[in-house]
Amino acid sequence: PLFAKMYYPIMEQNPHIYTLWDSWEYNAYVPKYTKPFGRYCISVFRDKAGISTKIDQRSITGDPARYGGFKRGNQEGIWEPYIDQVLKSDEQFLMTTVAAPVQIGGRFVGIIGVDLTLTDLQKQVEKIKPVVGSYAYLVSMGGIIAAHPDTSFVNKNIKDVFSAEVTNHKLLDVIADGKEYDYLKTDAQGNEHLTVLVPVKVGKSYSVWSLVYSVPMSVITEKVNKSFYVSLFVGFFGLLLLVLVILFVANGLTKPITLITHSLKRLSQGEISEDLVLRLQTGDEIEEMANALNYSIKGLNHKSVFATNIGKGNYDTQLELLSTNDELGKSLIDMQKSLVKAKNEEELRLVEERKRTWANEGIARFG
């Protein structure tokens, strides 16, 4: 129930996520459970009523193929596209799952994943046509077409749609190896196209997808003096898609941590100011982390003001310790006491010096 409560703010802030779920292997947490399968699963998902939670047991008689393959790989990644229902309706969508393993000493003990529809990605791919006759499509590591201007190709294997190209250029191997590749092909109308494959990898994912971009050679030869820009477009759109996927998946999850890290970096460089204070309302441990950092920053600000006042000679300035373990605060107070003591001793020395001066002057006058 605590995990499900933590997942709700993520679902509310990321409408592109349809399901956020985790899974915990019984053999890692249940004493005397020795079977290599069987797990406990928490799912927070969208339905017609809003956001709901489901807690159940799975893989009691064995792991399903998709989960089992990820379990054996024990590495974060993007799963192959698949058809599934969302919002508990009859409508089906092409989806993928972005998942990361939970490990103890490198051993697989669980998984946390998010299920995403590829509808928005399809719309983005359809817009990639910088010149007349050009188009682009996205292929998963296993050769499944995840997005294509011709929607009849979506969710089909590239070897079934472009069998000759796959055979002649070993495209499945090129995609699986995450390589850049280009080749010439002739379409049904006899027009020659330059086709370029650009790998798309998110984070440390084992799965490498490829963006395939095809442009008519007539356009290239007609504008040969602009070939550099065509290559630049290909690279740009590959990077653009990579950025879109990363932002699409990770932005809502990492933004608070990025803000905290930025404040910590500035703090590590000696900067102390009020604009380092963060105002996060995520309702989870990240908010607690930000509040602890804010408390530390305010304490350092007070100590900075305290030290500045002492430096100006205002020895009556007061400093409130953050706790009984506030060693920096104690050191500053000790320094204040030492400076006050030194000041008093200096004043006594000056008085004694004045006395000696008066005595010497008196003796001189008497003489």
Side-chain angles (χ1 to χ4, degrees):
L2 175 60
F3 280 21
K5 183 179 179 181
M6 291 166 57
Y7 295 159
Y8 265 75
I10 298 175
M11 295 289 290
E12 292 170 351
Q13 297 172 20
N14 297 274
H16 56 280
I17 296 178
Y18 279 84
T19 305
L20 174 57
W21 57 278
D22 59 30
S23 178
W24 311 93
E25 295 288 314
Y26 281 149
N27 56 37
Y29 300 100
V30 179
K32 299 181 180 180
Y33 189 95
T34 59
K35 296 180 180 179
F37 47 79
R39 53 195 172 101
Y40 180 81
C41 186
I42 303 170
S43 300
V44 178
F45 57 90
R46 301 184 190 280
D47 56 18
K48 294 179 180 179
I51 301 177
S52 301
T53 302
K54 181 181 180 181
I55 301 176
D56 60 351
Q57 299 183 86
R58 298 185 182 181
S59 302
I60 301 303
T61 59
D63 292 323
R66 188 179 294 118
Y67 175 82
F70 181 85
K71 178 178 174 180
R72 289 188 295 273
N74 196 15
Q75 182 182 349
E76 65 185 67
I78 300 178
W79 293 9
E80 288 293 294
Y82 57 90
I83 297 292
D84 201 357
Q85 295 179 346
V86 297
L87 302 179
K88 299 302 178 183
S89 66
D90 295 332
E91 189 174 4
Q92 293 185 327
F93 291 89
L94 186 65
M95 305 185 69
T96 188
T97 297
V98 180
V102 180
Q103 301 171 336
I104 297 179
R107 174 193 172 197
F108 181 91
V109 298
I111 180 177
I112 297 180
V114 292
D115 296 342
L116 312 166
T117 64
L118 298 178
T119 304
D120 290 340
L121 206 57
Q122 169 70 24
K123 295 178 181 178
Q124 294 291 338
V125 169
E126 290 177 353
K127 295 178 182 178
I128 300 177
K129 49 177 91 173
V131 295
V132 177
S134 65
Y135 63 92
Y137 60 95
L138 188 66
V139 184
S140 71
M141 186 174 183
I144 302 299
I145 299 177
H148 194 288
D150 187 344
T151 54
S152 64
F153 292 164
V154 174
N155 199 36
K156 292 183 178 180
N157 197 294
I158 189 174
K159 66 181 180 181
D160 299 325
V161 180
F162 306 110
S163 57
E165 298 173 36
V166 171
T167 302
N168 295 335
H169 300 281
K170 299 181 179 179
L171 294 185
L172 290 178
D173 294 335
V174 171
I175 295 171
D177 293 339
K179 297 179 179 178
E180 293 185 2
Y181 188 76
D182 62 85
Y183 62 93
L184 294 175
K185 71 170 186 178
T186 303
D187 61 18
Q189 289 74 35
N191 299 317
E192 196 173 39
H193 282 247
L194 172 65
T195 301
V196 181
L197 281 75
V198 180
V200 178
K201 185 173 183 179
V202 179
K204 299 178 182 178
S205 171
Y206 66 87
S207 179
V208 182
W209 290 17
S210 288
L211 176 69
V212 184
Y213 177 69
S214 183
V215 58
M217 283 298 297
S218 58
V219 175
I220 299 175
T221 54
E222 180 183 354
K223 302 178 181 179
V224 65
N225 58 330
K226 295 183 180 179
S227 59
F228 169 76
Y229 296 103
V230 174
S231 300
L232 186 62
F233 278 146
V234 174
F236 172 75
F237 283 114
L239 292 175
L240 177 62
L241 183 63
L242 176 61
V243 171
L244 287 174
V245 173
I246 292 175
L247 293 177
F248 189 70
V249 175
N251 185 52
L253 303 179
T254 60
K255 187 176 181 180
I257 297 177
T258 302
L259 293 174
I260 293 174
T261 303
H262 180 66
S263 292
L264 286 172
K265 285 182 178 179
R266 293 173 61 188
L267 193 63
S268 68
Q269 296 172 355
E271 182 177 350
I272 302 175
S273 60
E274 288 294 332
D275 64 351
L276 290 176
V277 176
L278 302 173
R279 294 171 178 81
L280 299 180
Q281 296 181 346
T282 58
D284 54 16
E285 285 80 358
I286 294 179
E287 182 179 348
E288 294 182 10
M289 188 189 307
N291 291 337
L293 177 60
N294 292 340
Y295 189 68
S296 300
I297 293 172
K298 291 178 180 178
L300 289 173
N301 278 331
H302 292 158
K303 290 180 176 65
S304 176
V305 173
F306 177 76
T308 301
N309 288 333
I310 291 177
K312 293 179 180 178
N314 301 327
Y315 299 120
D316 295 332
T317 304
Q318 300 295 319
L319 176 65
E320 182 179 350
L321 296 178
L322 297 178
S323 69
T324 56
N325 298 321
D326 189 353
E327 297 298 331
L328 177 59
K330 291 178 182 178
S331 298
L332 288 173
I333 292 174
D334 290 341
M335 181 185 72
Q336 179 189 34
K337 292 178 180 178
S338 298
L339 289 174
V340 171
K341 181 179 177 181
K343 177 186 176 183
N344 293 336
E345 291 177 350
E346 177 66 14
E347 290 177 349
L348 289 175
R349 188 186 66 77
L350 291 175
V351 169
E352 292 297 327
E353 186 176 333
R354 291 194 190 100
K355 287 181 179 180
R356 286 194 297 270
T357 301
W358 294 338
N360 292 336
E361 290 177 355
I363 291 171
R365 291 180 183 178
F366 180 76

